[in-house]
Amino acid sequence: MQKLELKVPPVAVVAIIAGFMALTSRLLPMQPWHFTDAKALAFALVTAGAFIAVAGVIAFRQAKTTVNPMKPEESSEIVQTGIYRFTRNPMYLGFLLALAGWGVWLASLPAFMWLIIYVLYMNRFQITPEERILEQHFGAQYITYRKRVRRWF
């Protein structure tokens, strides 16, 4: 199973999950949502997700550290400012919110099961290996940060 660790770019994971969500909505169609602002909610979730993910990228750029999720060993510092005061993984959290917005847009309750798959995959094959490498690279400083700030939110 370690072969998958840090191998699939998170953006590709999001695209794959979004595709499976769309496929699920076609294979298991539902009646439209019974509230009037479903499209507004979908837009709000995608927008919030985009802002959170971009805030993470901006914080990394300001700290002049790598944004490449495939190479956490190239990190030059632990970013603890901005959005990173609230979540250790704003980019992945932003993607999750965007996928939730996609699920609302698709009006497919069964499609939401893919959000669970996304979280499980990201925890196992992206976040856990990242955290292991960052702990090796930064030691006690990273352990302290990890204890203070939640993984997702």
Side-chain angles (χ1 to χ4, degrees), residues 21 29 33-34 44-45 56 63 68 98 110-111 122-123 128 130 133 140:
M21 290 174 75
W33 298 111
H34 294 288
L45 286 168
N68 185 349
M122 294 303 289
N123 279 336
T128 298
E130 280 180 5
I133 291 167

Side-chain angles (χ1 to χ4, degrees), residues 117-135:
I117 303 298
Y118 169 78
V119 170
L120 292 173
Y121 181 90
M122 294 303 289
N123 279 336
R124 170 60 184 90
F125 296 108
Q126 189 65 42
I127 296 171
T128 298
E130 280 180 5
E131 290 180 341
R132 184 176 59 243
I133 291 167
L134 292 172
E135 184 175 330

Side-chain angles (χ1 to χ4, degrees), residues 86-90 92-93 119-120 122-124 126-129 131-132 142 145-146 148-153:
F86 309 104
T87 174
R88 295 195 312 261
N89 298 288
Y92 307 149
L93 174 60
V119 170
L120 292 173
M122 294 303 289
N123 279 336
R124 170 60 184 90
Q126 189 65 42
I127 296 171
T128 298
E131 290 180 341
R132 184 176 59 243
Y142 183 72
Y145 172 67
R146 197 174 65 210
R148 192 178 72 248
V149 178
R150 292 174 174 253
R151 179 179 273 181
W152 287 92
F153 50 85

Side-chain angles (χ1 to χ4, degrees), residues 46-63:
V46 170
T47 302
F51 275 112
I52 290 170
V54 168
V57 171
I58 289 170
F60 269 32
R61 295 275 188 221
Q62 288 174 338

